């Protein structure tokens, strides 16, 4: 944990140049040398290009839009620093401490970060006299430009690389445990022997990427075609990937990929999947991310959507005969008036979907999943989460509801003739 006091705004260019000159003497062990110490300083937009800043202390500093091209920051202390939109093209940050740093939309083209520390950190923010509070800070590299960067052996556990451009970057033996790489461009990147256990790579582009010997256990790779990457020797135990994406018809596959980009960019790019009334019989969309898709009245007879993510998806009136939705996430989804025989929903989630504010924070409100008016005779819901689900008027004749969680569910007018409900929770 580091303190993050509000530092001075250094307006004197001459003073800053003198400090840098003194730091250079410090690095070269010359007389009158002094280490650069600018904790919490306001250095927004400053020009530090081509400077030697190795081992400089810039923790908590504001370096928004700073020019650090071809600068040397090896082993520098950048704990909790704000480098959003800064330009670090061709910079070296070998062994730098970037825990909790903000590198959102930072340009790190061809930068060298081998051995850098990009783990989460805790900042102490002063809020009053002798008072403070700790703020968890995850290294934020959302949308960062890391093309051709060298990130060998970096520690980026739980860091956020969502939508980052890592094309042809070298990430050999890097630690991405629990990191977020959703929507990132990983084409041609080298993840050889990288540790990606529990990482999220949903909707990432991986064509030509190397995951040889990588640890991808428990990783999420929805809408990711691993067939286009090198995976020899990779550990994939308990990972979730859209293994059959390449088997889809070209038109459907292209639209699923566009939908993935729509999700990754929060609607700014790609295109929402709208397939009203389409026939998807027998297709495998297992482990795909179809959140928010419109599949109204689609024919999903014998389709495989096991492990798929269908949060807030629209499936009213869909045909679900023998459709497999085992372990699918249908939080907040609309299956009202859906029709099916022997539909499989083992371990599926049909709980309410929390509604977030524009800032992405919980609003305290939820959007329930709906099966109102659905006719799913002989469906298998064993182990499903149906908390708060709307089942008004649903016909679940001879269905299996054993071990389901039905707390808070609405049942008015539901038909449950012959249903098995051993071990289900209702209170």
């Amino acid at each position: 944990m580091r303190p993050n006091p509000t530092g001075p705004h250094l307006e004197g260019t001459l003073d800053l140049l003198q400090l840098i000159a003194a730091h250079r003497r410090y690095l070269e062990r010359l007389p009158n040398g002094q280490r650069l110490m600018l904790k919490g300083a306001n250095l927004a937009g400053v020009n530090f290009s081509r400077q030697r800043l190795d081992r400089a202390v810039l923790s908590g500093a504001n370096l928004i839009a700073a020019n650090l091209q071809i600068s040397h920051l090896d082993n520098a202390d950048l704990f909790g620093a704000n480098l959003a939109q800064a330009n670090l093209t061709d910079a070296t940050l070998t062994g730098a401490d970037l825990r909790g740093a903000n590198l959102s939309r930072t340009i790190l083209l061809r930068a060298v970060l081998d051995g850098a520390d990009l783990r989460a950190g805790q900042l102490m923010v002063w809020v009053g006299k002798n008072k403070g509070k700790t703020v968890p800070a995850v290294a934020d590299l959302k949308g960062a430009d890391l093309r051709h960067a060298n990130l060998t052996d970096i520690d980026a556990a739980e860091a956020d690389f969502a939508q980052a451009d890592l094309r042809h970057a070298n990430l050999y033996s890097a630690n991405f445990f629990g990191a977020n790489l959703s929507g990132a461009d990983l084409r041609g990147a080298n993840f050889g022997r990288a540790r990606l256990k529990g990482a999220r790579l949903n909707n990432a582009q991986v064509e030509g990427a190397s995951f040889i010997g990588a640890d991808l256990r428990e990783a999420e790779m929805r809408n990711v075609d691993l067939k286009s990457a090198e995976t020899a020797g990779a550990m994939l135990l308990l990972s979730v990937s859209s293994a059959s994406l390449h088997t889809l018809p070209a038109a459907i596959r292209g639209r699923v990929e566009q939908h993935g980009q729509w999700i990754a960019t929060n609607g700014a790019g790609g295109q929402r999947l709208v397939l009203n009334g389409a026939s998807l019989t027998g297709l495998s969309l297992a482990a795909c991310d179809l959140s928010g898709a419109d599949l109204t009245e689609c024919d999903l007879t014998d389709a495989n959507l096991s492990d798929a993510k269908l949060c807030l998806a629209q499936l009213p009136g869909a045909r679900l005969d023998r459709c497999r939705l085992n372990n699918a996430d249908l939080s907040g989804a609309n299956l009202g008036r859906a029709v099916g025989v022997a539909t499989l929903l083992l371990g599926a989630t049909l709980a309410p979907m929390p509604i977030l504010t524009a800032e992405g924070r919980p609003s305290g409100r939820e959007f329930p999943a709906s099966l109102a008016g659905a006719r799913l005779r002989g469906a298998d819901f064993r182990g499903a989460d149906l908390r708060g689900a709307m089942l008004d008027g649903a016909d679940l004749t001879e269905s299996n509801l054993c071990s389901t969680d039905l707390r808070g569910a609405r049942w008015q007018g539901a038909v449950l003739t012959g249903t098995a409900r051993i071990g289900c929770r209702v209170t």
Side-chain angles (χ1 to χ4, degrees), residues 66-247:
N67 182 2
L68 291 152
Q69 295 183 74
I70 323 178
S71 57
H72 293 265
L73 288 149
D74 295 341
N75 299 305
D77 184 351
L78 289 155
F79 186 103
N82 191 349
L83 288 147
Q85 302 179 59
N87 190 344
L88 284 136
T89 299
D90 293 311
T92 61
L93 296 102
T94 301
D97 186 350
L98 287 156
R99 287 176 294 165
N102 181 4
L103 293 122
S104 177
R105 298 185 301 283
T106 301
I107 301 171
L108 288 151
L109 183 64
R110 295 184 301 276
V112 178
L113 291 97
D114 54 312
D117 192 343
L118 285 155
R119 292 174 296 164
Q122 289 275 355
L123 295 178
M124 174 68 79
V125 180
W126 303 108
V127 294
K129 186 176 181 180
N130 299 322
K131 292 182 179 180
K133 64 176 181 178
T134 58
V135 178
V138 174
D140 186 350
L141 291 101
K142 289 193 293 289
D145 185 347
L146 288 149
R147 287 173 295 162
H148 298 280
N150 183 0
L151 293 93
T152 305
D153 290 318
I154 65 163
D155 192 340
E158 300 182 352
D160 193 348
F161 288 84
Q163 300 176 53
D165 190 342
L166 286 150
R167 280 177 289 173
H168 303 288
N170 186 4
L171 304 119
Y172 185 83
S173 192
N175 179 17
F176 284 93
F177 181 86
N180 182 16
L181 290 146
S182 298
D185 192 339
L186 311 177
R187 288 176 291 177
N190 179 16
F191 283 91
R193 301 187 67 81
R195 288 156 285 169
L196 290 145
K197 184 178 180 181
R200 284 166 289 158
L201 293 89
N202 299 325
N203 304 304
Q205 299 179 67
V206 299
E207 291 85 357
S210 173
F211 293 95
I212 295 174
D215 184 354
L216 286 159
R217 290 175 295 168
E218 302 175 30
E220 276 193 39
M221 296 172 284
R222 301 179 190 277
N223 297 1
V224 173
D225 184 9
L226 279 179
K227 294 287 184 181
S228 63
E230 291 285 339
T231 58
M235 292 181 281
L236 295 161
L237 183 67
L238 299 178
S239 64
V240 178
S241 62
S242 307
S244 55
L245 195 63
H246 67 286
T247 66

